[in-house]
Amino acid sequence: MSQTRMNELYRKIAYYDATYYGTGRSEISDYHYDLLYRELVELEQQYPHLVSPNSPTQRIGSDLTEGFLKYTHATPMLSITNTYSKEELEKWIHDIQKYGALSCIAELKMDGVACALHYQDGRFIRAVTRGDGTRGDCITENVRTIRTIPLQIDAPGFLEVRGEILMSYPRFHHLNKELKENGQPPMQNPRNTAAGTIKLLSPQKVARRGLDFHAYALLAEGSELSHSKNLEKLKHLGFHTVIHSEPFAKPAPLLSFCSEWERKKENHPYPIDGMVIKVDEINRYDEIGLTAKSPRWVRAYKFAPDRGITEITAIDAQVGRTGVITPVARLRPISLSGTTVQNATLHNYDEIYRLSVNVGDMVTVEKSGEIIPKVISVAEKRTTTPFELPFHCPSCHSPLVKEPHTVALRCVNTACPAQRFSFLKHFVSRAAMNIDGLGPAILEELLQRKMIETPADLFKLTKEELVPLPRMGERSASKLLKSLEKSKNAGLASLVHALGIPLVGSETARVLAAETGSLEKLMNMSCEELEKIHTVGPEIAASLFSYFSTPENKSLISELKNLGLRTEETSGKNSDTSLEGSTYVITGTLSEFTRAEAKKLLESKGARVTSSVSRSTTALIAGENSGSKYTKAESLGIPIYTETFLENLTKKTPH
Ligand SMILES: [Zn+2]
């Protein structure tokens, strides 16, 4: 029964992973996906002996790597000669015909990070970055977490698959939203984010980012005939291949395929920066040969990012939730990448001086993909004076403060209306208290009428006060009050997140809630105690400590509590006895837990932790440098888990 359900869950999760890959959009909500995933984790905890090594839960690696090992590519990963000109591309397709009747394939040039995957007798064994083309970094454990890479394929012998590690636009926007909620600077583009992610030293963090892989080459015995056949084979093996054309001998259909994608690129969920055109007949590659740096049998046609010149009509200051001021350039409207662009980011005030730009100058603006347009350079200098830093907050007019060691300007007035507005917007958002019926317009209205100042005031609103508001009425007022009432039970994790403590996002809030069980306990913890909590580093600990030491914050919390908001985690882990009756042994060095933490975690779920492996051991949890216990467990046929098992135990169980 359990085995049947587990197999069903494997299939379902694999299906959703695969469909997510193809479109970058999920067929199932994150919430329902998580439910399936958690059900599987729970079944696996209940029946550890039934866990398959191919289970989706086993994808999350756990070994902390000290830097990255280097690996020499058997076949160098050469760079490709680029052109931005269709005419040059056409000439190349034409010229290549001097080697005889050849056909070419055009494929999307994905804007990610090139990577080679190695398989031995069907098993994924290694992932190597391009590096300098000859030698790359081994990022095996990180790549193992990418759900769309099959860990087991049906192919004998050694096989290398090359492709691009990518982040989709939806994922990228989601990540930036999270960073913004945490008061951290946003990532610049999906490519840089993917490149940074695969070099993270924690596979768990990599797994959470949701990277993807698009394959574009197969190197294996018997794969030397044609590129198009190899792409077919990769699909059969379970890889997602780059979108490509049929093989054509004439330039015209290839060029029109390129033009079609240059038009459509904006609507694709993954970043594309051009097209790659390859000769299909691999058996002719040696004959066609290489130049000093790149093969002659392939060309890249790169899309020029959409740029235009327009005038800066204003540079406005925007006030964030924590008071950080961001300059935004207002532009004379210009059409780029099929959209009308009126605003462009200037990142921070140092950027304004670096560009030497002021209101009235003509600037070059660039927009590529779904990225926020940015000012690249001054195209025509029309002003003679430098831009003057704002001295006062545009909202409350209090003097701005330049933060030491950062380029940020801040409004430090906690009563600042713009900050209050940003804070309230965050507090009621879906990821926080999830209060329906409090859109920006209503919040603005309530603030302007001085009906609210802090989130606590929201819970004091009465029907009599609400009904007369514009666009409100009897029904909406009742609905809003109901939604406010319901949110009082949102739970500790949501509340901690909603407080908007710098660096504390939804993920950290969830861990804090699970570990402490009550807001009172969390508030009274020292920096040292906070740092001991899994995933809380010194910076987050300091931020929490300073937040809870501030009198205004203390009074807000006690007010919220008096208004009936739940500040305790009722479904605490103490009631969880899912591991009762089982015995675990821990060996080796764990990366995310200390031994004591791991022991405490297991015991909190009712398990026993012993020091030696015997026949009565339920499973061994092995970290890095596991020794004799590992060998003994193997010889006794006792299941061996990675740290992932512990990670999964810390995940919240569904209500
Ligand atoms: Zn202000």
Side-chain angles (χ1 to χ4, degrees):
M1 178 62 207
S2 322
Q3 181 74 80
T4 321
R5 179 61 184 157
M6 280 160 87
N7 287 339
E8 199 178 313
L9 288 167
Y10 289 171
R11 267 202 312 280
K12 276 193 175 169
I13 292 170
Y15 169 76
Y16 287 124
D17 284 348
T19 50
Y20 168 74
Y21 183 85
T23 59
R25 290 188 178 87
S26 189
E27 282 192 22
I28 182 174
S29 72
D30 282 358
Y31 173 70
H32 287 102
Y33 180 93
D34 285 346
L35 282 187
L36 291 177
Y37 196 90
R38 283 177 201 158
E39 187 190 344
L40 180 58
V41 168
E42 275 168 13
L43 279 170
E44 290 183 342
Q45 283 169 3
Q46 240 176 311
Y47 308 100
H49 56 287
L50 297 179
V51 178
S52 153
N54 293 326
S55 161
T57 62
Q58 303 301 302
R59 280 181 177 276
I60 300 172
S62 66
D63 292 320
L64 186 74
T65 12
E66 280 283 325
F68 292 93
L69 287 174
K70 301 284 178 265
Y71 187 87
T72 303
H73 296 291
T75 309
M77 292 182 84
L78 297 169
S79 56
I80 303 177
T81 307
N82 281 330
T83 176
Y84 282 94
S85 145
K86 278 252 181 67
E87 289 69 37
E88 269 183 43
L89 181 66
E90 186 172 359
K91 186 172 180 300
W92 175 80
I93 300 171
H94 195 265
D95 289 353
I96 202 84
Q97 298 301 331
K98 72 178 176 209
Y99 294 97
L102 295 173
S103 44
C104 290
I105 288 183
E107 50 192 44
L108 299 190
K109 185 174 183 303
M110 309 311 295
D111 196 12
V113 183
C115 184
L117 312 178
H118 294 170
Y119 290 82
Q120 183 67 52
D121 295 320
R123 207 161 55 85
F124 170 70
I125 53 162
R126 190 183 299 115
V128 191
T129 62
R130 179 201 296 276
D132 61 5
T134 311
R135 262 154 47 100
D137 282 328
C138 277
I139 50 166
T140 314
E141 288 314 308
N142 286 346
V143 166
R144 201 187 288 282
T145 69
I146 299 176
R147 284 177 175 160
T148 41
I149 291 180
L151 301 179
Q152 190 75 41
I153 57 173
D154 187 15
F158 180 80
L159 183 142
E160 178 170 327
V161 178
R162 289 184 177 179
E164 206 84 352
I165 293 175
L166 296 162
M167 179 174 276
S168 70
Y169 283 118
R171 275 281 172 185
F172 175 72
H173 294 314
H174 180 76
L175 174 65
N176 267 351
K177 214 180 115 218
E178 262 181 20
L179 289 171
K180 202 176 151 201
E181 279 173 8
N182 295 1
Q184 288 169 286
M187 298 285 183
Q188 288 228 313
N189 60 51
R191 202 211 78 85
N192 290 354
T193 313
T197 302
I198 57 159
K199 293 294 179 73
L200 289 173
L201 288 177
S202 156
Q204 282 85 359
K205 282 188 187 148
V206 178
R208 261 178 243 136
R209 291 270 176 95
L211 295 174
D212 286 319
F213 181 82
H214 287 206
Y216 53 64
L218 172 66
L219 286 77
E221 195 138 346
S223 71
E224 300 87 357
L225 207 58
S226 93
H227 179 55
S228 50
K229 287 207 171 66
N230 285 349
L231 289 172
E232 282 312 308
K233 186 167 180 199
L234 283 169
K235 279 176 214 165
H236 283 302
L237 290 174
F239 291 93
H240 292 273
T241 54
V242 289
I243 293 174
H244 57 88
S245 73
E246 297 294 309
F248 293 111
K250 293 258 181 315
L254 292 163
L255 293 173
S256 82
F257 188 77
C258 292
S259 303
E260 184 192 331
W261 275 100
E262 190 158 11
R263 272 198 315 276
K264 291 201 304 202
K265 67 176 196 285
E266 302 302 328
N267 304 322
H268 198 54
Y270 293 92
I272 314 163
D273 64 345
M275 306 293 292
V276 176
I277 296 86
K278 288 175 186 164
V279 169
D280 192 32
E281 290 84 357
I282 297 179
N283 52 358
R284 307 289 295 279
Y285 284 6
D286 283 346
E287 187 189 333
I288 302 169
L290 314 168
T291 65
K293 272 197 260 160
S294 45
R296 282 184 218 276
W297 41 264
V298 57
R299 271 293 180 284
Y301 166 64
K302 291 193 85 171
F303 302 146
D306 234 355
R307 286 185 178 184
I309 293 173
T310 188
E311 185 190 350
I312 292 198
T313 55
I315 295 177
D316 286 348
Q318 278 183 344
V319 189
R321 167 163 59 83
T322 54
V324 174
I325 312 286
T326 314
V328 178
R330 307 293 178 198
L331 308 169
R332 196 166 294 287
I334 177 175
S335 176
L336 291 176
S337 289
T339 53
T340 303
V341 173
Q342 308 194 51
N343 306 308
T345 177
L346 283 162
H347 302 300
N348 56 55
Y349 287 99
D350 280 8
E351 180 76 356
I352 293 178
Y353 295 116
R354 193 185 68 77
L355 294 168
S356 172
V357 66
N358 203 349
V359 177
D361 288 337
M362 297 298 284
V363 289
T364 304
V365 179
E366 179 180 298
K367 181 171 192 318
S368 52
E370 291 186 43
I371 310 297
I372 302 163
K374 56 183 176 186
V375 175
I376 296 293
S377 58
V378 173
E380 186 192 330
K381 190 77 190 153
R382 287 182 174 178
T383 57
T384 48
T385 50
F387 176 75
E388 273 184 46
L389 277 183
F391 286 107
H392 298 100
C393 171
S395 173
C396 69
H397 310 292
S398 58
L400 296 176
V401 174
K402 183 152 167 108
E403 302 235 295
H405 315 301
T406 72
V407 292
L409 278 176
R410 274 185 77 172
C411 167
V412 292
N413 169 19
T414 47
C416 171
Q419 283 183 59
R420 278 196 173 146
F421 175 71
S422 304
F423 177 32
L424 284 161
K425 214 169 93 184
H426 164 76
F427 188 88
V428 305
S429 68
R430 261 184 76 186
M433 298 304 280
N434 192 16
I435 302 170
D436 277 337
L438 272 179
I442 294 181
L443 283 179
E444 197 98 64
E445 191 75 43
L446 293 169
L447 277 168
Q448 259 172 25
R449 293 175 183 239
K450 305 224 183 307
M451 289 166 71
I452 54 167
E453 276 185 358
T454 74
D457 300 331
L458 291 171
F459 299 95
K460 298 177 201 157
L461 291 169
T462 63
K463 199 165 177 183
E464 291 67 39
E465 287 175 309
L466 286 169
V467 173
L469 292 178
R471 297 176 303 276
M472 182 55 84
E474 193 100 6
R475 252 189 81 202
S476 303
S478 307
K479 262 172 98 178
L480 172 55
L481 289 172
K482 229 172 158 180
S483 166
L484 279 161
E485 199 55 37
K486 196 178 123 209
S487 77
K488 290 182 179 175
N489 280 315
L492 184 55
S494 302
L495 181 58
V496 170
H497 177 46
L499 291 174
I501 304 163
L503 302 179
V504 178
S506 48
E507 184 66 23
T508 307
R510 195 178 58 67
V511 174
L512 290 171
E515 288 294 318
T516 61
S518 91
L519 195 52
E520 285 68 25
K521 193 174 165 202
L522 178 62
M523 287 173 78
N524 292 315
M525 286 171 92
S526 67
C527 267
E528 291 73 31
E529 287 170 322
L530 287 164
E531 265 187 62
K532 281 190 193 128
I533 297 176
H534 173 55
T535 77
V536 174
E539 282 177 354
I540 297 177
S543 175
L544 283 162
F545 188 75
S546 122
Y547 179 89
F548 290 124
S549 311
T550 310
E552 288 159 52
N553 298 333
K554 279 191 199 166
S555 69
L556 171 65
I557 289 166
S558 82
E559 213 180 338
L560 288 172
K561 202 185 165 192
N562 291 336
L563 286 161
L565 273 81
R566 210 175 81 197
T567 58
E568 310 256 330
E569 195 75 330
T570 46
S571 55
K573 60 181 180 179
N574 296 336
S575 56
D576 182 358
T577 54
S578 53
L579 296 182
E580 207 161 61
S582 55
T583 309
Y584 290 87
V585 177
I586 307 167
T587 185
T589 315
L590 304 173
S591 61
E592 298 283 328
F593 299 85
T594 64
R595 271 296 171 85
E597 279 169 357
K599 187 164 182 275
K600 206 177 122 201
L601 176 63
L602 288 163
E603 285 173 350
S604 74
K605 310 265 173 188
R608 255 175 15 108
V609 178
T610 60
S611 56
S612 62
V613 176
S614 73
R615 284 192 189 281
S616 60
T617 306
T618 311
L620 176 73
I621 295 163
E624 222 176 335
N625 302 319
S626 307
S628 60
K629 286 177 193 169
Y630 192 99
T631 330
K632 186 159 183 203
E634 254 187 337
S635 70
L636 290 173
I638 287 162
I640 299 168
Y641 296 160
T642 64
E643 210 175 324
T644 315
F645 178 75
L646 297 172
E647 279 280 308
N648 288 334
L649 285 181
T650 64
K651 290 194 181 132
K652 200 165 64 176
T653 45
H655 302 298

